[in-house]
Amino acid sequence: MTIALMVVLALAAVVWMTRPLWRAHLSNAGARQSYNVAAYRQRVADIDADLALNTLEDEAAQQLREEAAARLLSDTTTVDAASSDAESVQPRAWILALVLVTFVAGVAGVGYFRSDSRQISGWIDLARKDPEAANGLVVSSMLQRLENRLKSEPDDAEGWAMLGRSYFTLGRHAEAAQAYAKANALTAGSPDPDWLASEGEARAFQQQGDMSGAPAALFAAALKVDPGYPKALWYAGLAAAHAEQYGAALDAWLKLRDQDLPDDFRQILEQRLPELAKLAARELPQRTAQAAPGGTSLHLSVDIDPALNAPTDGSATLLLFVRRPQGGPPLAAVRQPFTGPIEVVLDDSNAMIQGNNLSSADQWQVVARVTRGGGVQAQSGDLEGHLALSRDDAATPQRVLIDQRVP
């Protein structure tokens, strides 16, 4: 379908380009003959006008008419000869047109088969039949181009890092490690923590999850460059835990816990921290969130009555939200795995609806709920605590005690 369309477009282009060749002998001859006839008629009219004004004798007028007619005949013969000449030239014009057709089609074909057009057309056809296979071909083609470019530009550190990411995404971990190693070697004077951690990650996968040796050393090197780099902290914690250095693992993950993390990742981290603290024979410290600058904030300490025997292994969810005393949608809310007492700072950044935040009210009702269901509505067996606050209370930390079981 694509090739047929190209042929049609090429022919249309050639027809338009050669239009003067096949129209010239018709248009030029016809136009010249029409002009000669009009000139003859104008000449005869001028002779008759002179004769009527007595500026010309009858005999002279007749002679002039005969000369005009002879000139018209002569011009007509010339036009016919020109038409005949054009007809004789016509085969040569069509030969030229044929050459143009061949040339244009050849250029279009070479351009099509040597450029990306043919390849892209193939991808489109394959995508209709097998989208996953087509995506694989696109990725492979892009990877091949990047590999070829790095052969001619081997000092491109960014290019090697990009190649490493591509290899890792494709599961080619050994090649990913090599590509990142080249990127890190080129930037040894100003190391990039992401590239160091990514090389360590690729080598750990290459070693079937074994993080000893080179992977652990690379994570440590990344943390020397940036002590708070999240990927390096995560993998450094894993490496330390695998080496049964649970205290070092806990330290790394506590630093990670204090950062702004995606909810899903934070849930995984919060679930694993209690177990890691037990292995390290240490008490898990409470996490303190930082208040956002400006607006109203509430400093809350969430505690629970030991008599309720609440699970603290992260299997239950803590829902903490603030609403107006009369009810309505929450003004602020947080959700996280419950691992025991915690300190939280709620502010306008925790609003669920823009403009409906803590600063929009002067009195609040705080609800802390531990639930296994995780839903917004309280369920039988959930553990809850309530606290009424006013704006004057926002200046000092407040304790919310979970001391009830929902019937």
Side-chain angles (χ1 to χ4, degrees), residues 180-262:
Y180 276 121
K182 291 184 178 180
N184 288 323
L186 289 169
T187 56
S190 180
D192 186 308
D194 181 63
W195 297 354
L196 291 168
S198 295
E199 182 186 347
E201 181 183 39
R203 294 192 181 279
F205 274 81
Q206 183 185 358
Q207 298 175 180
Q208 305 301 317
D210 182 3
M211 300 194 181
S212 61
L218 286 162
F219 301 139
L223 290 175
K224 286 183 180 179
V225 179
D226 183 355
Y229 193 69
K231 180 188 285 188
L233 284 172
W234 170 252
Y235 279 113
L238 283 177
H242 287 180
E244 297 185 355
Q245 299 172 359
Y246 301 117
L250 183 62
D251 290 339
W253 282 5
L254 288 177
K255 289 181 181 179
L256 183 61
R257 185 181 69 169
D258 292 337
Q259 300 190 28
D260 184 17
L261 303 172

Side-chain angles (χ1 to χ4, degrees), residues 168-188:
F168 189 85
T169 302
L170 295 174
R172 297 162 62 174
H173 301 127
E175 293 167 291
Q178 294 174 3
Y180 276 121
K182 291 184 178 180
N184 288 323
L186 289 169
T187 56

